[in-house]
mmCIF file of all heavy atoms in Angstrom:
data_model
loop_
_atom_site.group_PDB
_atom_site.id
_atom_site.type_symbol
_atom_site.label_atom_id
_atom_site.label_comp_id
_atom_site.label_asym_id
_atom_site.label_seq_id
_atom_site.Cartn_x
_atom_site.Cartn_y
_atom_site.Cartn_z
ATOM 1 N N PRO H 249 -0.788 2.368 35.060
ATOM 2 C CA PRO H 249 -2.159 2.834 35.258
ATOM 3 C C PRO H 249 -2.434 4.094 34.445
ATOM 4 O O PRO H 249 -1.512 4.680 33.879
ATOM 5 C CB PRO H 249 -2.188 3.143 36.756
ATOM 6 C CG PRO H 249 -0.796 3.615 37.047
ATOM 7 C CD PRO H 249 0.090 2.781 36.179
ATOM 8 N N GLN H 250 -3.657 4.516 34.414
ATOM 9 C CA GLN H 250 -4.035 5.734 33.713
ATOM 10 C C GLN H 250 -3.520 6.956 34.474
ATOM 11 O O GLN H 250 -3.141 7.961 33.874
ATOM 12 C CB GLN H 250 -5.544 5.787 33.563
ATOM 13 C CG GLN H 250 -6.066 6.962 32.760
ATOM 14 C CD GLN H 250 -7.568 6.901 32.575
ATOM 15 O OE1 GLN H 250 -8.213 5.917 32.926
ATOM 16 N NE2 GLN H 250 -8.133 7.945 32.011
ATOM 17 N N SER H 251 -3.546 6.866 35.805
ATOM 18 C CA SER H 251 -3.027 7.945 36.626
ATOM 19 C C SER H 251 -2.342 7.362 37.850
ATOM 20 O O SER H 251 -2.656 6.241 38.273
ATOM 21 C CB SER H 251 -4.146 8.910 37.039
ATOM 22 O OG SER H 251 -5.096 8.242 37.821
ATOM 23 N N LEU H 252 -1.421 8.156 38.391
ATOM 24 C CA LEU H 252 -0.585 7.668 39.486
ATOM 25 C C LEU H 252 -0.214 8.843 40.375
ATOM 26 O O LEU H 252 0.204 9.892 39.873
ATOM 27 C CB LEU H 252 0.673 7.027 38.891
ATOM 28 C CG LEU H 252 1.705 6.404 39.824
ATOM 29 C CD1 LEU H 252 1.096 5.252 40.605
ATOM 30 C CD2 LEU H 252 2.901 5.908 39.005
ATOM 31 N N ILE H 253 -0.386 8.663 41.678
ATOM 32 C CA ILE H 253 0.012 9.682 42.642
ATOM 33 C C ILE H 253 1.060 9.078 43.560
ATOM 34 O O ILE H 253 0.834 8.019 44.144
ATOM 35 C CB ILE H 253 -1.200 10.184 43.455
ATOM 36 C CG1 ILE H 253 -2.245 10.798 42.521
ATOM 37 C CG2 ILE H 253 -0.754 11.224 44.496
ATOM 38 C CD1 ILE H 253 -3.539 11.189 43.220
ATOM 39 N N VAL H 254 2.192 9.748 43.662
ATOM 40 C CA VAL H 254 3.323 9.235 44.432
ATOM 41 C C VAL H 254 3.840 10.341 45.347
ATOM 42 O O VAL H 254 3.846 11.521 44.968
ATOM 43 C CB VAL H 254 4.442 8.762 43.474
ATOM 44 C CG1 VAL H 254 5.688 8.348 44.230
ATOM 45 C CG2 VAL H 254 3.943 7.602 42.629
ATOM 46 N N GLN H 255 4.267 9.965 46.516
ATOM 47 C CA GLN H 255 4.903 10.918 47.421
ATOM 48 C C GLN H 255 6.325 11.217 46.954
ATOM 49 O O GLN H 255 7.010 10.342 46.389
ATOM 50 C CB GLN H 255 4.970 10.344 48.840
ATOM 51 C CG GLN H 255 3.629 10.162 49.520
ATOM 52 C CD GLN H 255 3.106 11.471 50.125
ATOM 53 O OE1 GLN H 255 3.817 12.463 50.182
ATOM 54 N NE2 GLN H 255 1.861 11.445 50.554
ATOM 55 N N LYS H 256 6.747 12.435 47.208
ATOM 56 C CA LYS H 256 8.126 12.817 46.895
ATOM 57 C C LYS H 256 9.099 11.833 47.524
ATOM 58 O O LYS H 256 8.946 11.465 48.699
ATOM 59 C CB LYS H 256 8.398 14.232 47.413
ATOM 60 C CG LYS H 256 9.822 14.711 47.173
ATOM 61 C CD LYS H 256 10.052 16.085 47.781
ATOM 62 C CE LYS H 256 11.514 16.503 47.664
ATOM 63 N NZ LYS H 256 11.763 17.820 48.292
ATOM 64 N N GLY H 257 10.057 11.381 46.728
ATOM 65 C CA GLY H 257 11.028 10.418 47.200
ATOM 66 C C GLY H 257 10.635 8.971 46.953
ATOM 67 O O GLY H 257 11.458 8.061 47.107
ATOM 68 N N GLY H 258 9.398 8.754 46.559
ATOM 69 C CA GLY H 258 8.915 7.400 46.309
ATOM 70 C C GLY H 258 9.280 6.900 44.912
ATOM 71 O O GLY H 258 9.914 7.602 44.115
ATOM 72 N N ILE H 259 8.876 5.682 44.634
ATOM 73 C CA ILE H 259 9.136 5.073 43.332
ATOM 74 C C ILE H 259 7.848 5.081 42.501
ATOM 75 O O ILE H 259 6.799 4.633 42.965
ATOM 76 C CB ILE H 259 9.633 3.626 43.475
ATOM 77 C CG1 ILE H 259 10.906 3.590 44.329
ATOM 78 C CG2 ILE H 259 9.901 3.011 42.094
ATOM 79 C CD1 ILE H 259 11.373 2.187 44.645
ATOM 80 N N SER H 260 7.952 5.584 41.282
ATOM 81 C CA SER H 260 6.814 5.561 40.360
ATOM 82 C C SER H 260 7.042 4.425 39.369
ATOM 83 O O SER H 260 8.136 4.297 38.810
ATOM 84 C CB SER H 260 6.717 6.891 39.593
ATOM 85 O OG SER H 260 6.609 7.983 40.484
ATOM 86 N N ILE H 261 6.008 3.615 39.157
ATOM 87 C CA ILE H 261 6.126 2.488 38.233
ATOM 88 C C ILE H 261 4.972 2.519 37.253
ATOM 89 O O ILE H 261 3.808 2.570 37.648
ATOM 90 C CB ILE H 261 6.117 1.142 38.992
ATOM 91 C CG1 ILE H 261 7.267 1.091 40.002
ATOM 92 C CG2 ILE H 261 6.242 -0.025 37.999
ATOM 93 C CD1 ILE H 261 7.250 -0.142 40.893
ATOM 94 N N ILE H 262 5.322 2.496 35.979
ATOM 95 C CA ILE H 262 4.334 2.507 34.898
ATOM 96 C C ILE H 262 4.600 1.301 34.016
ATOM 97 O O ILE H 262 5.751 1.020 33.676
ATOM 98 C CB ILE H 262 4.429 3.804 34.071
ATOM 99 C CG1 ILE H 262 4.298 5.031 34.985
ATOM 100 C CG2 ILE H 262 3.351 3.827 32.994
ATOM 101 C CD1 ILE H 262 4.604 6.351 34.284
#
Side-chain angles (χ1 to χ4, degrees):
Chain H
Q250 184 176 353
S251 62
L252 181 62
I253 300 174
V254 174
Q255 293 279 351
K256 178 183 174 182
I259 302 174
S260 303
I261 301 174
I262 305 171

